[in-house]
Amino acid sequence: MISKGTVLWSVDFGMKVAKYQDIKIGDSAESEHTFTEQDIQTFGDLSGDYNPLHFNDEWAKQTMFGGRIAHGILTAALISNVIGMKLPGTGTIYLSQQMRFRKPVKINDRITARVEVVEKDDAKERITLRTTCTNQDEAVVLDGEALVTLMRLDK
């Protein structure tokens, strides 16, 4: 339950919305996060995904992963952070995301999510982004491609 006055996130509504013409092929941005026990629990609570692979040490030790791992989609959420907050940034509208999970993410893994502009469709003002997540050992744990467009504000 959310109590009155609780701030869930802080948004500066005076932020400048990204403009299509300002985005260049080769532009990139990244964000880093270390996944904690609390992150796994919070995601399980939000999604209802309590798969024992994420929550039961003894059960997960018997799997091909040899222990508990983070939810794959939780790792993918880091890409959303980079796209929505950094590149292209404020005003980005996610159209699609294709991804492949390459390696498991374990509790206390430090993950870096990176996006890079690889293509622009000027006729439709759509941007294709390479999306990659790597761990602290620089091993790719997730890769894929996102298609986005940018909101246009009428003033």
Side-chain angles (χ1 to χ4, degrees):
M1 174 176 229
I2 299 172
S3 63
K4 186 177 180 182
T6 300
V7 177
L8 296 178
W9 58 85
S10 175
V11 177
D12 177 358
F13 290 104
M15 294 176 96
K16 190 171 114 179
V17 173
K19 292 189 168 90
Y20 180 82
Q21 63 270 21
D22 295 337
I23 307 298
K24 308 293 182 228
I25 292 176
D27 286 353
S28 66
E30 58 185 41
S31 183
E32 186 178 285
H33 181 76
T34 300
F35 283 102
T36 66
E37 181 77 42
Q38 185 61 51
D39 293 329
I40 308 296
Q41 184 64 52
T42 299
F43 189 80
D45 292 343
L46 287 170
S47 67
D49 180 354
Y50 295 106
N51 184 323
L53 186 57
H54 310 304
F55 289 96
N56 184 310
D57 286 319
E58 292 307 311
W59 190 90
K61 284 179 187 173
Q62 299 173 43
T63 70
M64 63 188 193
F65 301 112
R68 292 173 50 216
I69 64 171
H71 303 76
I73 279 302
L74 180 55
T75 304
L78 296 181
I79 293 168
S80 179
N81 166 268
V82 179
I83 290 173
M85 302 307 296
K86 294 185 178 188
L87 181 69
T90 305
T92 301
I93 301 168
Y94 231 130
L95 298 175
S96 67
Q97 173 76 53
Q98 172 274 322
M99 67 185 96
R100 291 173 296 276
F101 299 99
R102 300 295 190 172
K103 290 186 180 291
V105 172
K106 303 216 174 183
I107 296 169
N108 296 318
D109 275 358
R110 186 183 73 248
I111 302 300
T112 301
R114 183 173 195 278
V115 303
E116 179 183 357
V117 177
V118 294
E119 185 178 329
K120 291 180 69 179
D121 178 344
D122 293 337
K124 294 182 179 181
E125 291 195 359
R126 292 183 174 183
I127 302 165
T128 302
L129 303 163
R130 177 182 298 120
T131 57
T132 311
C133 290
T134 55
N135 66 16
Q136 64 278 355
D137 300 321
E138 298 186 21
V140 174
V141 298
L142 181 155
D143 66 10
E145 191 173 272
L147 182 64
V148 301
T149 191
L150 299 172
M151 186 173 14
R152 290 181 281 290
L153 298 179
D154 297 326
K155 286 194 176 187

